Amino acid sequence: MERRNNGGRPKAVERRSRHLNIRLTEAEYAKLRGTSGSLKISAYARRRLLGKTVSRSVPQINQLAWEELARTTANLNQLTLHANQGHFAHSEEFAQVLVRLSHTLKTVREGLIGGKHGHR
């Protein structure tokens, strides 16, 4: 009879068996703790030491605003689609306003999330 998977965390492909111990001043530790966000300090330090990207945590208020702007952007994209398909008359001025509005929304969203293209 085949043994069933009981769930839980999958086994690591390569077990971390090596230790790296460092000493920090209180100021260094506080800075590290402040920049690690929601990550454990060890996970944050490992990612930084190995040159991997570290996503920044986003304040809840910014996350809510980001989501609302995402809906607004989707609506703008639908308006643009309908305009381009000829569902309603539009002028060159209308098209330019849609483009400017799209760029403005993108800039605001990037400012809220703290980077380009949604990188956190």
Side-chain angles (χ1 to χ4, degrees):
M1 183 175 202
E2 192 175 310
R3 185 175 180 172
R4 294 188 61 185
N5 182 357
N6 292 330
R9 186 176 184 169
K11 299 291 181 193
V13 175
E14 185 177 356
R15 187 172 178 266
R16 290 190 174 109
S17 60
R18 306 301 297 176
H19 293 268
L20 174 64
N21 296 312
I22 61 171
R23 293 185 185 271
L24 302 171
T25 65
E26 286 296 325
E28 290 169 334
Y29 186 77
K31 183 177 180 181
L32 187 61
R33 189 175 57 232
T35 57
S36 66
S38 61
L39 287 176
K40 290 182 179 180
I41 292 176
S42 59
Y44 175 79
R46 182 181 304 111
R47 293 186 70 82
R48 291 295 305 262
L49 284 168
L50 297 176
K52 296 181 180 178
T53 59
V54 178
S55 59
R56 295 185 282 172
S57 60
V58 178
Q60 183 65 24
I61 188 75
N62 285 17
Q63 184 65 37
L64 295 174
W66 170 268
E67 291 167 3
E68 180 62 35
L69 283 171
R71 287 187 286 276
T72 303
T73 301
N75 291 338
L76 174 63
N77 288 338
Q78 288 296 315
L79 280 173
T80 304
L81 176 69
H82 288 295
N84 289 334
Q85 291 177 340
H87 290 285
F88 53 88
H90 71 282
S91 64
E92 183 63 31
E93 181 182 0
F94 176 74
Q96 290 174 357
V97 168
L98 285 177
V99 169
R100 283 196 312 268
L101 183 56
S102 177
H103 288 302
T104 300
L105 283 171
K106 180 180 176 185
T107 302
V108 170
R109 290 181 77 206
E110 288 172 354
L112 285 171
I113 212 73
K116 287 190 169 196
H117 309 296
H119 296 301
R120 297 179 189 168

